[in-house]
Amino acid sequence: MIIEMNNIKKQFDDLEVLKDISFGVDSGEVVSIIGPSGSGKSTLLRCATFLETIDRGEIIYLGEKAAYTDESGKAVYVTPQELKHFRSYYGLVFQQFNLFPHYSVLKNLTDAPIHVQHRKKDEAEETAMELLAKMGIADRADAYPYQLSGGQQQRVAIARALAMKPQILFFDEPTSALDPELTGEVLNVIKQLAEEKMTMVVVTHEMAFAKAVSNRVIFMDGGVIVEQGDQIEVFENPQEERTKQFLRVFER
């Protein structure tokens, strides 16, 4: 299993955002996390990628514990140096692209492989150009983010995550900042990665995409997993009333 999150709890002041969440993702699996705004989906992803710290529970990557609950009932993390090692396992694609505006597209892709993974410049550039070709934007290698459409920027962001050769990719609503025409561009790239058996967790509001691409769907509401299972089962034969209510809105 690439990642396991067990009994995760997370609170902001008096608001309990995640209430005893447990799930895991196997190699080659595509898991979509759906649910209404404020259900805890993005917080769960931020906890999985150490952008937020959990209050209780455990986070395990490839059988190694990155965080666990100690005897006092509080979450304890491994050392910062060890966390750096865990961060090499995943890539994260944000809603807002988060590209470096003063770097060219090519430098956005090669900077971390060269300076973090200590790969040779020519090797990093060769990998970057292969990824940009795969994304259909090899001709934009020398452009800067402001010269690209939103869809092109998000494809660069996906290529940048892949350039680090992660075991798993996390997407936090990757199309929410895009208009419908550009949304299709990005979803097609994710579909292609799914066909290549890239392990992915996608927080999304795109129900048709989640149904078409996922192996498994998790429906969250109120900080808990209400229902999860095979994508066809969840979409066509949901068991929980709350899931049925949520999906009914998208069928209109």
Side-chain angles (χ1 to χ4, degrees), residues 34-45:
I34 63 171
S37 297
S39 58
K41 306 182 303 294
S42 291
T43 301
L44 182 61
L45 227 58

Side-chain angles (χ1 to χ4, degrees), residues 137-181:
I137 46 175
D139 60 332
R140 309 300 280 153
D142 295 326
Y144 285 82
Y146 76 90
Q147 297 172 310
L148 306 178
S149 71
Q152 289 173 328
Q153 288 187 61
Q154 192 60 297
R155 282 183 278 161
V156 172
I158 295 169
R160 182 178 64 177
L162 288 168
M164 297 294 281
K165 301 186 177 178
Q167 302 273 342
I168 184 170
L169 272 185
F170 293 100
F171 294 86
D172 187 8
E173 298 188 20
T175 60
S176 66
L178 303 176
D179 65 39
E181 191 175 355

Side-chain angles (χ1 to χ4, degrees), residues 103-117:
Y103 285 178
S104 69
V105 165
L106 185 62
K107 189 167 170 55
N108 261 285
L109 264 69
T110 59
D111 193 62
I114 291 169
H115 294 108
V116 177
Q117 296 182 331

Side-chain angles (χ1 to χ4, degrees), residues 113-126:
I114 291 169
H115 294 108
V116 177
Q117 296 182 331
H118 309 296
R119 281 158 48 193
K120 291 178 181 172
K121 185 180 177 185
D122 56 351
E123 181 204 330
E125 289 186 347
E126 184 181 346

Side-chain angles (χ1 to χ4, degrees), residues 46-83:
R46 291 177 66 82
C47 288
T49 54
F50 313 126
L51 294 173
E52 299 284 358
T53 54
I54 60 173
D55 297 326
R56 291 183 67 112
E58 59 180 12
I59 302 173
I60 303 168
Y61 276 94
L62 297 171
E64 301 175 76
K65 284 188 184 179
Y68 58 92
T69 303
D70 68 7
E71 291 171 1
S72 70
K74 297 275 178 67
V76 176
Y77 282 78
V78 294
T79 66
Q81 192 60 33
E82 288 171 313
L83 268 187

Side-chain angles (χ1 to χ4, degrees), residues 199-245:
T199 310
M200 294 184 281
V201 176
V202 188
V203 168
T204 184
H205 287 297
E206 301 286 340
M207 295 301 116
F209 164 79
K211 184 176 179 181
V213 176
S214 314
N215 305 108
R216 187 153 49 92
V217 171
I218 292 173
F219 172 62
M220 286 182 66
D221 191 23
V224 300
I225 292 176
V226 177
E227 186 164 352
Q228 66 173 312
D230 171 270
Q231 80 280 19
I232 302 298
E233 278 298 308
V234 171
F235 280 106
E236 295 186 2
N237 189 29
Q239 301 300 302
E240 300 295 329
E241 188 54 41
R242 182 65 188 97
T243 317
K244 292 174 186 175
Q245 287 172 355

